[in-house]
Amino acid sequence: MNLSKETISTTKYKERVLQFGEGNFLRAFADWIIHKMNQDDIFNGSIVVVQPIEEGLVSTLNEQNGLYTLFLQGINEGKQISSCEVISSISRGINPYTDYNDYLETAKNKDMRFIISNTTESGIYLEPEDEYAGIQKSFPGKLTKWLHHRFKHFEGDINKGMIIMPCELINRNGDKLKQIILELIDIWKLEDSFKEWIINHNEFCNTLVDRIVPGYPRDRIEEINKKLGYIDRLVVEGEYFHLWVIEAPSWVKKEFPADLINLNVKFVNDMTLYRTRKVRILNGAHTSLVPVSYLYGLRTVRDSVMDESIGQYITDTIFDEIIPTLSLPKAELDNFANAVIDRFKNPYIQHYLISIALNSISKYKTRVLPSLLSYIEDKNELPQKLVFSLASLIYFYKGNIDGEIIPLNDDKDILANFSNLWNTYKASQEDSYEIIASTILSNKAYWDIDLTRINGLKELVAYYLEIIDRQGMQEAIKEVL
Ligand SMILES: NC(=O)c1ccc[n+]([C@@H]2O[C@H](COP(=O)([O-])OP(=O)(O)OC[C@H]3O[C@@H](n4cnc5c(N)ncnc54)[C@H](O)[C@@H]3O)[C@@H](O)[C@H]2O)c1
Ligand SMILES: O=P(O)(O)OC[C@@H](O)[C@@H](O)[C@H](O)[C@H](O)CO
């Protein structure tokens, strides 16, 4: 039997949330939070999910009547916590590529009040080819059209604006989305009164999300479905820990009262410090760890932190080279970092390094490079472990270890560039490693700046590349321990 509303009974709520993205993270996080609020009778609203790109899971979601099973597992205050629940906050999904009118119709619903999104770090951008007519390629393009449709339908009613809470892991996500919408209004030459309505009667919140969600447990799904007694093609697994920091005026909290129940949702005036702490320590550690640990022969985050050498490498990287670059009180940073390391050790979830590796070049730029640059500025010396991670990343993007393919996932031009470079130089010339280091480090499209201008960086990266290549990661790591 497949999971559907025949499998369990659910309550029907008014559709109050439009959500762009049907991915694992939103289903394990925002949709779960809304499900919890519904269970406690403090929200009473359901979610319409919009598939942001042509390929996606909305048809599967509809086949399951919006239902899916969420496993949350972790350790809280020393106790093991484990829950398995069917989440019922999604009413339906819409694929705007096949049902654009249904999508626009939702703008006419007077109960709609919230927009939530997670379209990955690449989703919030200005697409120059987006036009008002037809379907827009980008998420901001689709949303602008939807908001305009709403504005026109309700004749500019100031009470029909939306509360917009993007979850993309980019700095000041709400401000960025708003700025792109305003630019599109100008490009599409929409009326000034619409612009005024967007600015004054819609609330764009900057938010920061935190929950480790490895996603669909592909390798254990048969066993899981057997235990559940039904087939669920949208099972999600995540850690128990969760935090949603929302920068918003106090009236938003009244409308989205998640903080009233046992949920870690914080409304704040400024989310900057939360974001910097999380992105630099947790995501920075993930991104620094992946190439080193993968080349060492490990495949999950837990196995990595439990390994003596790699565990020490990542702990030292956090405490010696990331934390000293942050300006929050040290005790607070140490506590956060220790908690992160405990979360990485979570024995109940399998977080594959290869899934974190997705788009590692842009992740290194936003999540690790700021620590490396601040360290150099503060101490006038190179942070060896972060540089080692950069060299490992360049080596990882060779795409194979001793003939075994690494299933890299990044922009196809980036992958082709690395592959050509490694094929051209191999270890055939004496200065191959320096040429490879120099070519990659000077590419401003990757890092925004020319990294070869940093004293000694190119040479140190080339040196690490050579020892990783000639001696293997098991030996090379000793260089920085
Ligand atoms: N998985 C986690 O542990 C976790 C935790 C916190 C934050 N996040 C953030 O969530 C994002 C998504 O993670 P996920 O695990 O849900 O991945 P996923 O692959 O399950 O979902 C990705 C979603 O993004 C959409 N998408 C992809 N490219 C897009 C584009 N160019 N434009 C518009 N939409 C696009 C897809 O349609 C899909 O809905 C990550 O990029 C990450 O920044 C993830
Ligand atoms: O989801 P990504 O691909 O942006 O990044 C991989 C991980 O670092 C990330 O998912 C963390 O687990 C998450 O940000 C924790 O809140």
Side-chain angles (χ1 to χ4, degrees):
M1 180 180 49
N2 293 328
L3 174 63
S4 71
K5 63 180 182 218
E6 324 292 291
T7 325
I8 62 152
S9 72
T10 55
T11 312
K12 207 167 176 255
Y13 297 104
K14 285 179 190 165
E15 292 180 336
R16 299 186 60 207
V17 182
L18 187 73
Q19 171 175 305
F20 290 83
E22 79 289 28
N24 292 308
F25 178 72
L26 280 181
R27 285 187 286 112
F29 185 78
D31 303 345
W32 167 79
I33 286 174
I34 291 171
H35 172 83
K36 287 282 167 208
M37 287 199 288
N38 284 340
Q39 280 182 329
D40 273 50
D41 245 350
I42 58 169
F43 189 72
N44 301 322
S46 66
I47 305 159
V48 179
V49 171
V50 178
Q51 186 173 297
I53 50 178
E54 276 188 90
E55 296 297 316
L57 295 171
V58 147
S59 57
T60 312
L61 194 61
N62 282 333
E63 281 160 27
Q64 297 194 178
N65 303 119
L67 302 170
Y68 61 92
T69 316
L70 174 64
F71 288 90
L72 295 177
Q73 306 190 55
I75 297 172
N76 191 25
E77 292 170 358
K79 284 197 205 116
Q80 186 198 334
I81 299 197
S82 164
S83 73
C84 162
E85 204 174 356
V86 172
I87 304 300
S88 60
S89 50
I90 296 177
S91 60
R92 62 189 164 124
I94 298 180
N95 178 354
Y97 291 86
T98 52
D99 301 300
Y100 195 63
N101 284 341
D102 289 355
Y103 164 64
L104 281 187
E105 271 305 293
T106 59
K108 298 180 182 168
N109 172 356
K110 66 172 178 28
D111 299 314
M112 275 292 174
R113 184 63 172 144
F114 298 90
I115 304 279
I116 289 175
S117 64
N118 199 348
T119 57
T120 77
E121 276 162 309
S122 37
I124 301 190
Y125 73 106
L126 181 77
E127 169 55 62
E129 286 175 16
D130 273 352
E131 290 177 2
Y132 185 80
I135 182 156
Q136 298 69 35
K137 186 172 168 204
S138 74
F139 153 55
K142 290 185 189 76
L143 178 58
T144 308
K145 174 80 174 269
W146 188 94
L147 288 165
H148 188 246
H149 210 67
R150 185 170 182 82
F151 168 80
K152 284 204 317 194
H153 178 78
F154 290 108
E155 298 172 345
D157 184 344
I158 59 169
N159 297 312
K160 293 296 183 295
M162 304 292 289
I163 296 170
I164 298 156
M165 305 196 289
C167 297
E168 286 80 358
L169 220 51
I170 57 170
N171 199 14
R172 307 203 72 75
N173 43 22
D175 291 347
K176 176 105 192 273
L177 180 59
K178 180 176 182 179
Q179 175 211 326
I180 296 171
I181 290 176
L182 294 177
E183 282 179 52
L184 281 171
I185 293 176
D186 289 341
I187 295 169
W188 293 348
K189 299 189 171 41
L190 300 175
E191 50 278 59
D192 286 347
S193 52
F194 173 52
K195 197 174 195 176
E196 187 271 332
W197 181 80
I198 289 288
I199 294 171
N200 294 320
H201 307 297
N202 287 268
E203 193 62 41
F204 290 80
C205 310
N206 294 310
T207 89
L208 181 268
V209 295
D210 193 2
R211 166 169 271 174
I212 295 172
V213 179
Y216 184 67
R218 201 171 302 281
D219 46 350
R220 285 172 295 116
I221 193 63
E222 274 184 30
E223 177 201 330
I224 289 173
N225 279 331
K226 210 181 251 172
K227 271 198 195 139
L228 291 173
Y230 53 78
I231 294 172
D232 181 351
R233 288 182 289 153
L234 294 172
V235 170
V236 189
E237 273 188 325
E239 66 173 338
Y240 182 77
F241 176 92
H242 63 283
L243 171 65
W244 195 357
V245 181
I246 303 175
E247 192 182 282
S250 53
W251 58 266
V252 169
K253 171 168 147 161
K254 291 199 183 108
E255 293 200 43
F256 196 83
D259 60 326
L260 291 186
I261 52 178
N262 199 11
L263 292 171
N264 203 4
V265 178
K266 274 189 201 313
F267 288 88
V268 298
N269 294 326
D270 186 354
M271 45 72 76
T272 315
L273 293 178
Y274 289 97
R275 183 194 135 81
T276 310
R277 187 181 69 172
K278 189 245 170 177
V279 172
R280 297 270 200 103
I281 296 180
L282 190 158
N283 300 106
H286 263 166
T287 298
S288 316
L289 170 72
V290 165
V292 177
S293 185
Y294 196 98
L295 294 171
Y296 189 86
L298 300 169
R299 293 295 174 264
T300 67
V301 174
R302 175 175 157 83
D303 287 352
S304 308
V305 283
M306 297 306 282
D307 179 89
E308 204 181 328
S309 301
I310 299 291
Q312 187 192 337
Y313 169 76
I314 201 58
T315 307
D316 292 352
T317 302
I318 296 174
F319 285 96
D320 300 346
E321 298 186 357
I322 297 178
I323 286 183
T325 67
L326 297 171
S327 51
L328 280 160
K330 181 156 173 359
E332 205 179 296
L333 293 168
D334 287 354
N335 280 343
F336 182 80
N338 282 320
V340 163
I341 292 169
D342 282 348
R343 288 166 65 192
F344 287 177
K345 288 184 183 158
N346 189 341
Y348 310 104
I349 58 172
Q350 301 254 58
H351 202 185
Y352 287 101
L353 300 174
I354 203 66
S355 66
I356 299 171
L358 167 78
N359 299 332
S360 279
I361 299 299
S362 70
K363 280 183 189 162
Y364 194 93
K365 181 179 85 177
T366 53
R367 303 175 181 190
V368 186
L369 193 56
S371 299
L372 185 144
L373 296 176
S374 301
Y375 188 98
I376 296 170
E377 197 172 317
D378 295 349
K379 301 199 187 282
N380 203 18
E381 61 184 68
L382 296 169
Q384 301 214 348
K385 295 172 196 67
L386 294 176
V387 176
F388 187 77
S389 161
L390 180 57
S392 304
L393 179 62
I394 297 172
Y395 196 80
F396 186 62
Y397 267 52
K398 191 177 172 186
N400 69 73
I401 331 168
D402 303 330
E404 183 202 322
I405 302 281
I406 304 172
L408 296 173
N409 197 344
D410 207 321
D411 178 273
K412 63 177 182 348
D413 293 338
I414 294 182
L415 292 178
N417 190 17
F418 273 90
S419 164
N420 290 338
L421 199 60
W422 278 109
N423 283 333
T424 310
Y425 291 100
K426 296 196 177 118
S428 53
Q429 285 169 228
E430 219 174 85
D431 55 356
S432 297
Y433 302 108
E434 212 161 310
I435 297 174
I436 293 171
S438 167
T439 312
I440 298 298
L441 296 183
S442 61
N443 192 332
K444 289 193 194 168
Y446 296 168
W447 322 112
D448 287 347
I449 49 171
D450 176 354
L451 291 177
T452 57
R453 297 177 68 169
I454 297 173
N455 239 340
L457 183 63
K458 178 182 72 183
E459 292 75 11
L460 189 57
V461 168
Y463 170 68
Y464 287 148
L465 281 178
E466 180 163 0
I467 56 170
I468 294 169
D469 195 31
R470 296 201 193 279
Q471 300 172 19
M473 186 54 88
Q474 305 255 348
E475 277 304 307
I477 186 95
K478 293 181 184 158
E479 197 69 26
V480 288
L481 292 181

